Amino acid sequence: MMNRSQLAPESLVSSGAQIPSPRGKMPVTIFSAILFLSGIGALLFETLWLRLSGLAFGNSVWAAALILSSFMAGLALGNAIAASSRIRRWRPLRLYAVLEVLVALLGCTIIFGLPVLGELLRPVWQIFWNYQPALLGLRFVVSFLILLIPTTAMGLTLPVLMEDPMLRQTHFGRAIGFLYGSNTLGAMAGAVLGEGYLIATLGLRGTSLVAGLAVCLAAIAALLVARIGGAGSESNLEPTFPLRLHVRYRLPWRLLLASFGTGCVLLCLEVIWFRFLRLYVVSSATAFAVMLAIVLAGIGLGALLAGAIESFYRRRARDTRASPSGATAVRGGSLSVLLLLAAIATLLSYLFFPGEIVKTPAGAFSVAFLSGIVFPSIASSVQATVEDRMNSTGVTTLFNTTGAAIGPLFASFVLLPCVGYQWSLVFCAVIYALLSVLVSERSNWSIRRPTGLIIAALCATAILLLAIFPYSRAESHFAHASRPYEIDEHGNVLAHVVKRIEGTSDTYQLLRRDFLGEPYYYRLLTNAFSMSATNPRSQRYMRLFAYLPLALRSEAKDVLLICYGCGVTADALLHGPNIKRLDIVDISKEVFHLADFYSGINYSNPLRDSRTAVFIQDGRFFLQTSPRQYDIISGEPPPPRVAGSVNLYTEEFFSLMKSRLKEDGIATFWLPINQLKVNEAKAILRAFHDAFPNASVWANADQEWIMMGINGPGHKVKDEGIRQLWSNADSGADLRRIGIEVPQQLGALFVMDGDEIDRITRDVAPLTDNYPKRLSDAPWDERANFEFAATYMEPASVTERFLRSPLINRIWPEAPSRSMESLFAVRETRFLSDTVGSNKLAELDLFLRGTRLRMPVLEILGSDEFRFAIAERIASNSAAPRLEILPDLIAGALARRDIGKAVRLLEDEKARGVFSLQETFLLAYLYCLNGSVAKAEALVTDNAVIKKDEFVDWLWKKLETDFGFRPPD
């Protein structure tokens, strides 16, 4: 092997570094095209492997970290083999082709086999369920072994290709720049194609075949090139192992540490940027794919530029007469400049992109672009020491890959939870600056040289940016995420942040809205999305997730809740008369940490109940591994379109739920049709019904539907089993507070059963693990959603479905009757009032005189049981009620049918000079209702504020017809 002292002066920069002839440019172009195809397939495989590994081994923060680590470990192993081996008897192009075919075959095999493997491993997971550290370790070992061969082959491809004789006439720096850049741009194309088209069209398995095809095309192209341009090749394919151990070089540690550091910092920044971006845009798979594509585009284009400007380094090296120290100084100075620029760009990515402009991730691109230039430059410098092209590429990539493996883990588990995203950005910028010092030579800092002046200017710029850095700006970004929920359209403050946590995977903000200085409700924000809330409307459907199955299975003892939210459903489940154990599973420990910050009228921390057991785990993996069977399983995960949630709405997931239920056990699950396209909602309904033949849908007067499935035929429920929920003090008060005031209203939540689901989803494919893109990121049609929901609120048709339903006739405690139609009419009235508006006074008259229900009356008048309870408590402590609470006290009096008290409160309000036109109409109506028609006539006579319009004409006619009221002239 040649050593550096034997090289001619013009060769000292790198081994075999002839000036490229025009003919020498052609191999680089061909090889770049090959690696572009390889990059497409590799990124598609990586995406699919990580997605399906998450389904098989869990998606918790630790599980995802272990799966990513096993993937990166395989790549690093391939790099390590390349760094420590020589190719013998095989043409590198042919070895490359074999490696790519191996990736294609094993890659597709993994995609098709992982779901089956997950099922086969379920008994093994269950054995280790009570030994969680061992279970985590086992998952890492299994995922590492599964991905070992294809990822190792991936890690070998670039170093092996760099060793081919056809590239010997091309300077190493130029070759590595163009090949690495093309491979990365191929990965960018794979990210865009996969997320934007392939997965939606072909599914995961079909996309894996496309990935395999791309990789095989790269292999075929390599073989063709080897055959056509192989006149100078050393050997043909031999039946011997092509690699042998060979380590006879000294490691350039400073350069390799820089390679490690740049890989680590860039991947840290990718995690930090995406966390930052999620304060402004909804977290979704598409948003992540776009972010990834921008970073990959920056790296790829930067590497291409590095290859294109390689002649600059050679020219500068010749200027230094090709001395080793001169060549090192040239590259060291250039690397220092690039790394300082990366530090400055990191700070600028935050400094000059506040507010909405942050949606344009120019900062991410600029830093990635500079990193793309840095890697080939480091590799070229390493090659000047190591000499062998495959070894130098392998060892540089090994350190870079190892850093890239550690970066996301360090950002997620250390930086973001400990110092937050803002200080994490500063930390990464400082590391870039320190790396620039590490790779520089003393001569680079001499201000007598242009490089020294540039470095000094960049250092001064970086220090200035750190000095003027807006360290308090993070608050404005957090406020951007919370402002829509803190301030109304008129600028009035509605709520305030009581707790903020920058966790391992998300940023959490807990908002509290007060009413007259007392907690009214809380809202939990995850990044920029309202994930859960305790406001009255949310509490209604969340508590029904518990009370609906508890009414139909009052003997339930063991209950599982998937996703904790604000703890509303958990609190309701514990009101079950026979509940012995409640298991709560959530992927986020921060959600549980916030449980102590809630307080309210009907809230007690469920986590403090001795019957509650908490599991910080992916809900799907919990169902795969836990050996326990349950009477009730309820799930209220994030909306289906939020990144990572789609696989909690697939047919396979619902089948897992069913498998964990006891005979005749009941599952309830959230279906937010107001956040989906109609066909997407139908795809989830189809998936649920395929898993639960005995399925049904229930809802209140909103579009927060509840899917319910029974594991078995179900059995007739005893009437006393349902009524005991209302007779029990805690659950009864709870049900009345959310507007389910009598047991009959439970039946009036019915929407459809399995037969109707079959009818409306006949031509709709179910949402499955293989086709997650049946839920798109396109905006939903609110009008279409309203029309779809309104169809199932119509009283006559829903009553008919209720009466004819085999499920209802099989399980309902008494024979269904048409008397339910009036309660279905109440639901429709409230639904239409909330969506398209209504004549509030006409609606109030309907409920006051036609029913004994309290909640509709309160809601029409803008109140609810929670507000009224606060107002009543404050009023009891003062001689005269405050003006702010009078509307709620009036609503409460009418809800109790105390017309006289409501009239007195309105008269008091009028006497204080705070009286609107709508309150005038209400008082006139109540006067008539209370038998004081003359007072009503006197109130409206000569009232100049009242103008004739459609509503006034209706009201005068109504009062005249019903009470003998004489309208004013």
Side-chain angles (χ1 to χ4, degrees):
M1 182 177 64
M2 201 181 303
N3 58 51
R4 289 172 58 187
S5 63
Q6 297 171 308
L7 292 173
E10 64 271 15
S11 305
L12 280 168
V13 179
S14 63
S15 173
Q18 293 91 347
I19 304 298
S21 65
R23 197 181 78 176
K25 295 180 180 180
M26 186 59 68
V28 174
T29 304
I30 296 171
F31 283 32
S32 295
I34 291 172
L35 281 175
F36 183 85
L37 283 172
S38 174
I40 293 175
L43 197 285
L44 288 174
F45 273 133
E46 178 185 350
T47 302
L48 298 173
W49 289 340
L50 295 180
R51 186 190 287 260
L52 287 174
S53 293
L55 297 183
F57 306 127
N59 271 315
S60 68
V61 175
W62 280 105
L66 290 175
I67 293 167
L68 177 64
S69 297
S70 63
F71 175 83
M72 301 300 284
L75 292 179
L77 179 60
N79 300 150
I81 293 173
S84 57
S85 305
R86 289 288 179 91
I87 299 175
R88 59 174 184 174
R89 299 185 182 180
W90 282 47
R91 171 78 183 268
L93 265 175
R94 293 194 173 100
L95 175 57
Y96 168 83
V98 171
L99 292 171
E100 292 287 28
V101 170
L102 200 61
V103 170
L105 291 176
L106 291 178
C108 290
T109 301
I110 290 171
I111 301 302
F112 281 83
L114 264 177
V116 178
L117 182 65
E119 289 293 320
L120 294 176
L121 288 174
R122 188 187 298 184
V124 179
W125 304 145
Q126 291 177 352
I127 292 172
F128 287 91
W129 175 248
N130 293 322
Y131 308 95
Q132 288 295 316
L135 183 58
L136 271 175
L138 182 61
R139 281 187 278 177
F140 172 77
V141 170
V142 173
S143 61
F144 174 74
L145 291 176
I146 290 170
L147 299 176
L148 175 62
I149 297 177
T151 53
T152 302
M154 281 184 177
L156 275 165
T157 51
L158 177 62
V160 165
L161 205 57
M162 285 296 300
E163 187 71 7
D164 195 80
M166 287 186 69
L167 289 176
R168 285 180 184 167
Q169 290 190 15
T170 304
H171 190 276
F172 178 85
R174 178 181 176 84
I176 188 69
F178 279 105
L179 267 60
Y180 176 70
S182 299
N183 190 248
T184 306
L185 289 177
M188 179 209 70
V192 174
L193 279 173
E195 195 63 36
Y197 178 75
L198 291 176
I199 294 176
T201 306
L202 304 175
L204 301 185
R205 289 192 284 270
T207 301
S208 74
L209 296 177
V210 173
L213 177 62
V215 170
C216 286
L217 286 175
I220 292 169
L223 290 174
L224 288 175
V225 171
R227 182 170 182 177
I228 294 170
S233 61
E234 299 98 49
S235 59
N236 293 317
L237 193 67
E238 295 285 345
T240 58
F241 190 73
L243 298 172
R244 62 185 175 88
L245 186 65
H246 182 92
V247 184
R248 294 182 184 176
Y249 56 84
R250 201 157 48 96
L251 292 175
W253 284 108
R254 286 194 302 162
L255 290 169
L256 294 177
L257 287 175
S259 180
F260 172 88
T262 53
C264 181
V265 172
L266 184 61
L267 268 292
C268 273
L269 284 172
E270 187 176 338
V271 173
I272 296 164
W273 283 324
F274 191 59
R275 176 73 67 84
F276 185 28
L277 188 68
R278 290 162 75 186
L279 292 174
Y280 288 84
V281 299
V282 175
S283 176
S284 67
T286 300
F288 179 76
V290 170
M291 182 73 183
L292 176 62
I294 289 170
V295 172
L296 291 173
I299 295 171
L301 293 174
L304 292 181
L305 180 62
I309 63 175
E310 179 58 36
S311 58
F312 165 78
Y313 292 120
R314 292 198 303 275
R315 188 164 56 252
R316 290 294 307 277
R318 287 198 300 273
D319 292 344
T320 60
R321 299 185 179 181
S323 67
S325 61
T328 303
V330 169
R331 288 205 178 274
S334 299
L335 284 172
S336 293
V337 169
L338 289 169
L339 289 167
L340 283 170
L341 285 172
I344 293 169
T346 300
L347 295 174
L348 292 178
S349 71
Y350 182 74
L351 192 62
F352 290 122
F353 296 95
E356 292 293 326
I357 304 175
V358 79
K359 293 180 181 179
T360 306
F365 177 84
S366 60
V367 179
F369 181 77
L370 291 166
S371 296
I373 301 175
V374 165
F375 175 79
S377 301
I378 292 176
S380 195
S381 297
V382 169
Q383 201 264 342
T385 300
V386 175
E387 298 175 4
D388 183 85
R389 293 188 168 208
M390 186 175 81
N391 290 166
S392 57
T393 305
V395 72
T396 308
T397 310
L398 168 64
F399 278 79
N400 192 258
T401 301
T402 304
I406 293 172
L409 306 182
F410 185 63
S412 296
F413 292 101
V414 179
L415 285 181
L416 287 168
C418 294
V419 299
Y421 76 89
Q422 181 175 269
W423 280 102
S424 297
L425 279 170
V426 174
F427 176 83
C428 290
V430 170
I431 295 300
Y432 269 135
L434 293 176
L435 289 174
S436 75
V437 176
L438 177 68
V439 299
S440 65
E441 301 292 331
R442 181 176 297 179
S443 59
N444 297 141
W445 295 86
S446 173
I447 58 175
R448 296 178 180 178
R449 297 184 177 185
T451 302
L453 289 173
I454 294 172
I455 290 175
L458 291 175
C459 285
T461 302
I463 292 170
L464 177 63
L465 288 175
L466 286 171
I468 66 171
F469 192 81
Y471 294 99
S472 61
R473 182 175 287 179
E475 291 299 320
S476 66
H477 296 300
F478 292 129
H480 179 275
S482 61
R483 192 176 297 116
Y485 308 99
E486 288 184 279
I487 301 173
D488 65 16
E489 63 272 17
H490 304 297
N492 300 315
V493 176
L494 300 177
H496 61 280
V497 176
V498 295
K499 182 66 176 178
R500 180 183 296 127
I501 299 176
E502 291 189 69
T504 54
S505 59
D506 295 286
T507 300
Y508 300 90
Q509 297 190 81
L510 184 63
L511 277 63
R512 189 180 89 186
R513 180 172 181 175
D514 289 344
F515 177 55
L516 301 174
E518 295 194 25
Y520 177 34
Y521 67 79
Y522 293 82
R523 186 177 299 278
L524 176 61
L525 301 185
T526 303
N527 304 310
F529 189 81
S530 176
M531 195 62 70
S532 188
T534 64
N535 61 310
R537 289 188 178 275
S538 296
Q539 287 217 35
R540 182 176 300 159
Y541 78 83
M542 291 177 186
R543 291 185 180 276
L544 286 173
F545 281 115
Y547 287 125
L548 187 61
L550 284 172
L552 301 178
R553 191 175 173 84
S554 59
E555 69 274 18
K557 297 179 180 179
D558 300 306
V559 181
L560 170 65
L561 174 62
I562 299 173
C563 298
Y564 183 72
C566 293
V568 174
T569 305
D571 183 54
L573 283 167
L574 289 171
H575 289 154
N578 297 300
I579 298 299
K580 303 297 183 187
R581 180 185 176 96
L582 170 62
D583 289 347
I584 306 176
V585 181
D586 200 291
I587 202 168
S588 168
K589 66 179 180 181
E590 292 83 4
V591 169
F592 292 125
H593 176 71
L594 290 169
D596 282 328
F597 289 88
Y598 300 98
S599 62
I601 296 168
N602 65 332
Y603 180 84
S604 59
N605 188 347
L607 304 186
R608 296 187 180 279
D609 193 293
S610 61
R611 296 170 292 175
T612 300
V614 168
F615 298 89
I616 301 171
Q617 185 58 267
D618 165 34
R620 182 160 178 156
F621 190 72
F622 181 89
L623 291 173
Q624 286 179 316
T625 55
S626 172
R628 187 177 294 274
Q629 298 288 114
Y630 297 94
D631 296 291
I632 295 172
I633 299 177
S634 186
E636 192 191 342
R641 292 186 174 198
V642 172
S645 297
V646 64
N647 293 111
L648 298 180
Y649 290 85
T650 62
E651 181 180 337
E652 291 84 353
F653 176 77
F654 294 139
S655 296
L656 269 176
M657 286 182 69
K658 183 183 177 185
S659 71
R660 309 316 306 163
L661 284 171
K662 299 176 183 178
E663 183 65 22
D664 285 335
I666 299 175
T668 54
F669 212 78
W670 186 39
L671 180 61
I673 64 170
N674 57 334
Q675 299 183 45
L676 298 163
K677 291 182 176 180
V678 172
N679 272 352
E680 292 173 347
K682 290 180 179 179
I684 296 175
L685 280 171
R686 180 73 264 167
F688 189 81
H689 188 31
D690 284 349
F692 288 95
N694 205 358
S696 56
V697 179
W698 307 72
N700 205 279
D702 52 36
Q703 298 181 45
E704 312 285 356
W705 286 9
I706 300 171
M707 299 183 293
M708 186 177 78
I710 301 176
N711 182 27
H715 61 272
K716 183 71 74 174
V717 178
K718 295 180 179 179
D719 186 58
E720 56 269 22
I722 292 181
R723 292 187 178 278
Q724 69 176 329
L725 287 176
W726 278 262
S727 61
N728 178 276
D730 291 335
S731 58
D734 204 18
L735 283 160
R736 283 184 281 272
R737 268 191 297 265
I738 63 172
I740 311 299
E741 302 173 43
V742 293
Q744 290 82 356
Q745 281 184 278
L746 200 67
L749 299 172
F750 179 79
V751 175
M752 68 180 81
D753 63 4
D755 292 342
E756 181 65 10
I757 296 174
D758 280 333
R759 188 187 70 80
I760 66 174
T761 63
R762 187 177 299 117
D763 300 321
V764 178
L767 182 65
T768 62
D769 289 345
N770 189 47
Y771 283 96
K773 283 292 183 178
R774 284 178 180 155
L775 297 189
S776 69
D777 293 322
W780 53 83
D781 184 339
E782 292 185 2
R783 181 67 187 177
N785 287 352
F786 163 74
E787 291 174 353
F788 175 63
T791 301
Y792 290 95
M793 297 291 162
E794 200 281 318
S797 60
V798 72
T799 301
E800 192 62 30
R801 285 195 302 275
F802 187 77
L803 296 175
R804 290 189 290 103
S805 169
L807 170 68
I808 296 300
N809 283 283
R810 189 164 58 248
I811 68 172
W812 213 245
E814 56 188 26
S817 68
R818 292 203 171 270
S819 63
M820 291 291 297
E821 187 166 349
S822 62
L823 290 174
F824 283 124
V826 169
R827 181 177 68 173
E828 184 195 42
T829 302
R830 295 304 306 136
F831 173 77
L832 295 175
S833 177
D834 290 342
T835 50
V836 298
S838 68
N839 181 333
K840 298 295 185 183
L841 203 51
E843 197 177 351
L844 179 65
D845 179 68
L846 170 68
F847 291 123
L848 275 179
R849 301 167 68 189
T851 75
R852 299 300 301 171
L853 298 176
R854 290 171 47 87
M855 184 59 74
V857 174
L858 289 170
E859 289 181 336
I860 292 166
L861 296 173
S863 187
D864 52 66
E865 292 285 4
F866 302 93
R867 285 177 64 98
F868 175 61
I870 295 172
E872 197 172 40
R873 185 164 57 249
I874 291 173
S876 66
N877 296 323
S878 59
R882 294 161 53 179
L883 279 172
E884 300 97 316
I885 64 174
L886 279 176
D888 293 282
L889 295 177
I890 292 165
L894 290 177
R896 292 171 175 169
R897 277 41 177 196
D898 190 344
I899 308 300
K901 183 176 181 180
V903 167
R904 290 192 297 275
L905 289 168
L906 279 165
E907 288 174 337
D908 181 31
E909 191 174 26
K910 183 174 182 291
R912 298 191 198 187
V914 184
F915 208 59
S916 69
L917 183 60
Q918 294 304 316
E919 288 166 326
T920 300
F921 292 141
L922 175 60
L923 182 55
Y925 165 75
L926 292 179
Y927 275 147
C928 291
L929 190 62
N930 207 34
S932 303
V933 177
K935 286 186 177 182
E937 292 171 347
L939 178 66
V940 301
T941 300
D942 299 326
N943 191 324
V945 179
I946 299 176
K947 305 295 183 184
K948 296 279 284 184
D949 58 20
E950 184 178 348
F951 171 77
V952 172
D953 289 341
W954 168 84
L955 180 58
W956 296 163
K957 183 68 174 176
K958 173 74 174 175
L959 298 182
E960 182 180 15
T961 302
D962 290 3
F963 307 106
F965 171 86
R966 289 175 298 178
D969 296 330

